[in-house]
Amino acid sequence: MNQEAIAIAVFLFTYGLVVSERIHRAVAAMLGASVILFLRIVPWEKVPEYLDLDTLFLLMGMMIIVNTARNSGLFEYVAIKTAKLARGSPIRVLLLFSVVTAIVSSVLDNVTTVLLLTPMLIYISRLMDLNPIPFLLSEIFASNIGGTATLIGDPPNIMIGSAANLSFNEFLVNMGPIAAVDLIATILIIYFAYNNALKVTPKKKVMIKQTLRGLNEKAAIRDIRLFRKSIAIIVFVVALFFFHDKLGIEPAVVALLGASLILLWTREDPEGIFEKIEWPALFFFGGLFIIVGALEETGTIAKVAEWVLTHVHTQGQALLAITWFSAFSSAIVDNIPLTAAMIPLIKHMSTSMDIYPLWWALSLGACLGGNGTAIGASANVVVIGIAEREGIRITFGDFLKVGMVIMVITVAIGVGILWIRYIGW
């Protein structure tokens, strides 16, 4: 058996273990990665190349910041204020958090956004005695949709913008409207899918309002000095995220700097903070990066992408093929190596057609495809991991039922908008 066949077999076996949920997904990913490394399909010296340390250190740094800030009561404070603003209405909470998540994800990375907002959502759902799953799923989908809207919202967009020399405004004009329509569609789907969970009886609504009126958000603050320092560090980190590209600093460095400063300034017990890091999520990502790296190392991803594109001959066919191939592929494998494989193939098509619309097709599929499965995007894994720690279980199958529907509908909406704009009726 050649290395390519082994890499495919390991990937499928690992994916099967994750889907079956017979063992923890982190263990499945570690096992698959260990086999890949043991057989030297990915040479040891190339591990840092495929491991995507930027993502892992970004996650780690933000987890430290969030866990430190949580000790102050910051998230409970914001959660109570938000619940009061929503006047105890589950639908208003869903709408408010979905819109905020999408907007924040358009200017920050998705993982940072969900790390900040997920603790608040869980607290609000418990405060209002509601099923947290529809709110958490809506947050996941909104973060991936929001990241589609701008040049800096999602790593594939950064790669596409660099390769095609596309500006921030071009992304906003082309992908912004698609993201806005898709967000509305997603909120409606979540509403109808979880209609019963979002409904409250008049009696329960009165009880929720009474509960909220009896809560004082200021009383939720457990340590006012830590509260103020946490806000200062979070504002500092968010500001650096806005300007990191101009400063030539990687987002992971910003997160690690913020993590170091908040631990140094607050003098919180680092051992207690480190224990709360979502280590299973980090090990899952690390293993998955190596397994997908094996598919890239053996040329499997490039071969599949090339096969798809050799069967298209017109701009319309190319737009459809690139969008749907990248969407379904991104639901299964990491969208970063997929985008890297697709970029040179799209460039090659410039000899026979105008490829400008195809860049938006790739962005659409690569970013929104992550909504299809529980492991399709980093934000998905992080939110599910935090939920598990809080005793909230979102299975692969539960996610798939809603996620795949949302992925297909939102991608179809995006394809339709791109088709009308660039291909015509």
Side-chain angles (χ1 to χ4, degrees), residues 94 184-198 402:
L94 180 76
I184 294 170
T186 298
I187 293 171
L188 289 173
I189 293 169
I190 291 289
Y191 173 75
F192 287 113
Y194 291 94
N195 192 23
N196 291 332
L198 295 171
V402 182

Side-chain angles (χ1 to χ4, degrees), residues 68-69 71-72 223-231 266 268:
T68 305
N71 291 341
S72 71
D223 186 331
I224 189 63
R225 292 179 65 186
L226 178 59
F227 179 85
R228 290 169 178 165
K229 289 177 180 179
S230 298
I231 292 175
T266 64
E268 287 291 295

Side-chain angles (χ1 to χ4, degrees), residues 23-348:
I23 62 174
H24 196 283
R25 59 180 176 272
V27 178
M30 289 173 63
L31 175 63
S34 300
V35 173
I36 292 294
L37 294 174
F38 181 78
L39 298 176
R40 292 193 59 81
I41 296 173
V42 171
W44 180 253
E45 58 272 15
K46 279 197 169 185
V47 168
E49 180 182 331
Y50 292 117
L51 206 49
D52 196 356
L53 294 175
D54 287 342
T55 297
L56 294 176
F57 282 126
L58 172 66
L59 281 167
M60 191 183 300
M62 290 309 301
M63 286 174 182
I64 291 170
I65 293 171
V66 168
N67 286 325
T68 305
R70 182 183 292 164
N71 291 341
S72 71
L74 172 62
F75 298 120
E76 289 89 340
Y77 173 87
V78 176
I80 293 171
K81 290 283 282 186
T82 304
K84 285 184 174 181
L85 186 64
R87 290 177 290 189
S89 168
I91 296 172
R92 287 198 189 101
V93 171
L94 180 76
L95 182 63
L96 188 63
F97 264 91
S98 296
V99 172
V100 168
T101 300
I103 292 172
V104 175
S105 290
S106 68
V107 291
L108 293 182
D109 69 277
N110 301 355
V111 171
T112 300
T113 302
V114 298
L115 278 170
L116 292 172
L117 296 179
T118 302
M120 303 181 203
L121 265 179
I122 293 174
Y123 185 82
I124 286 176
S125 63
R126 286 176 172 166
L127 192 66
M128 298 172 67
D129 191 26
L130 297 168
N131 178 6
I133 291 178
F135 300 101
L136 294 174
L137 290 179
S138 180
E139 179 197 17
I140 290 171
F141 301 140
S143 71
N144 290 327
I145 290 169
T148 311
T150 67
L151 172 65
I152 60 174
D154 220 2
N157 284 1
I158 297 173
M159 297 167 67
I160 293 166
S162 175
N165 197 27
L166 301 171
S167 69
F168 185 93
N169 288 338
E170 282 180 288
F171 265 94
L172 200 58
V173 169
N174 283 276
M175 302 306 295
I178 293 174
V181 177
D182 280 346
L183 181 62
I184 294 170
T186 298
I187 293 171
L188 289 173
I189 293 169
I190 291 289
Y191 173 75
F192 287 113
Y194 291 94
N195 192 23
N196 291 332
L198 295 171
K199 278 184 177 178
V200 291
T201 62
K203 185 178 179 181
K204 188 174 182 180
K205 196 168 185 179
V206 171
M207 290 176 60
I208 290 172
K209 286 184 176 180
Q210 288 175 344
T211 302
L212 292 176
R213 276 198 297 268
L215 290 173
N216 180 3
E217 57 270 21
K218 291 182 180 178
I221 302 172
R222 295 187 289 273
D223 186 331
I224 189 63
R225 292 179 65 186
L226 178 59
F227 179 85
R228 290 169 178 165
K229 289 177 180 179
S230 298
I231 292 175
I233 291 294
I234 290 172
V235 170
F236 171 72
V237 169
V238 170
L240 276 184
F241 275 133
F242 272 106
F243 301 106
H244 75 89
D245 54 336
K246 294 180 180 178
L247 297 172
I249 303 173
E250 295 299 322
V253 177
V254 173
L256 289 175
L257 176 62
S260 304
L261 290 176
I262 198 169
L263 288 174
L264 180 66
W265 194 16
T266 64
R267 292 288 195 261
E268 287 291 295
D269 175 29
E271 290 187 6
I273 300 299
F274 292 159
E275 285 177 3
K276 296 175 184 176
I277 290 175
E278 296 293 330
W279 293 111
L282 295 179
F283 277 103
F284 172 72
F285 279 124
L288 196 62
F289 286 146
I290 292 172
I291 294 167
V292 174
L295 297 179
E296 190 176 354
E297 180 74 17
T298 56
T300 305
I301 293 176
K303 286 178 183 177
V304 173
E306 189 174 2
W307 181 86
V308 171
L309 294 183
T310 52
H311 289 75
V312 300
H313 307 288
T314 66
Q315 190 183 62
Q317 289 176 346
L319 188 143
L320 291 174
I322 290 169
T323 302
W324 289 110
F325 172 74
S326 57
F328 281 103
S329 298
S330 293
I332 301 171
V333 301
D334 185 52
N335 57 13
I336 293 175
L338 175 77
T339 303
M342 294 292 285
I343 284 173
L345 296 171
I346 293 176
K347 284 183 175 180
H348 181 71

